[in-house]
Amino acid sequence: MARPRSIPDAVIYDAVLDLLEERGAAAVSFGAVSAVVGLAPPSLVQRYGDREGMLRAALAHGWERVAAVTEAAEAAEESAQGFLKALGVAVRVSLVWASVGEGLAGERAAAWRAGVEAAVARKAGCKAEAAAMIFAAWQGRMLWDAAGGAGFRLRDAVKRIG
């Protein structure tokens, strides 16, 4: 079977984000992405220039999705807990983790965090410092859940902090 000539960027970005989540940043290579999407590595090189370019494009794509979900959840959810629960479905731990050291993507991660903390403060009726702690507890829970942990209840943390 012949390889497809064209694969939409979104499919490639999803493959990169999946590799990030499943095996970490070191696993993201033109060869690994090629194996997932069926596009030859030289075609990926032509499209993105280098591995970092492909990674940055995938992270930007991931943050665009996160921004859309965050905006919708902020408008739809009344409580801080409901808002964070709605976000938890869309926000990949690997996206946040990989973005921290990636220049523009890191700036997007920091801006998103500030926006989420502000929304939590409004929805929970608490001070910014308490919202920051709630955000940190939520992120901790996401990491713990991703690692297979159980038993951490965000609701309990919010009650203690709020």
Side-chain angles (χ1 to χ4, degrees):
M1 181 178 205
R3 290 181 184 255
R5 290 186 158 286
S6 180
I7 302 286
D9 282 331
V11 172
I12 295 166
Y13 300 153
D14 287 341
V16 170
L17 295 173
D18 287 346
L19 284 167
L20 272 172
E21 189 156 348
E22 293 165 11
R23 297 187 290 175
V28 178
S29 67
F30 288 125
V33 174
S34 172
V36 173
V37 300
L39 195 60
S43 297
L44 293 169
V45 172
Q46 284 179 333
R47 198 179 285 198
Y48 301 108
D50 59 18
R51 177 192 172 277
E52 286 70 30
M54 180 175 64
L55 185 57
R56 279 192 305 275
L59 290 172
H61 171 76
W63 281 111
E64 288 170 15
R65 283 187 178 172
V66 167
V69 169
T70 302
E71 186 177 314
E74 188 172 358
E77 298 296 332
E78 295 292 323
S79 70
Q81 184 178 348
F83 171 62
L84 292 175
K85 188 174 183 178
L87 290 184
V89 174
V91 179
R92 295 175 165 198
V93 172
S94 58
L95 178 66
V96 175
W97 184 258
S99 295
V100 170
E102 287 293 327
L104 179 60
E107 292 171 13
R108 288 185 85 169
W112 171 77
R113 186 197 78 226
V116 170
E117 287 178 3
V120 167
R122 283 191 305 276
K123 291 177 179 295
C126 63
K127 293 182 179 182
E129 294 82 13
M133 287 188 275
I134 291 168
F135 178 86
W138 173 64
Q139 285 290 287
R141 173 163 186 197
M142 288 179 62
L143 286 169
W144 187 251
D145 288 349
F152 179 85
R153 294 178 53 181
L154 184 61
R155 172 180 35 221
D156 295 339
V158 170
K159 285 180 185 175
R160 288 181 182 175
I161 293 169

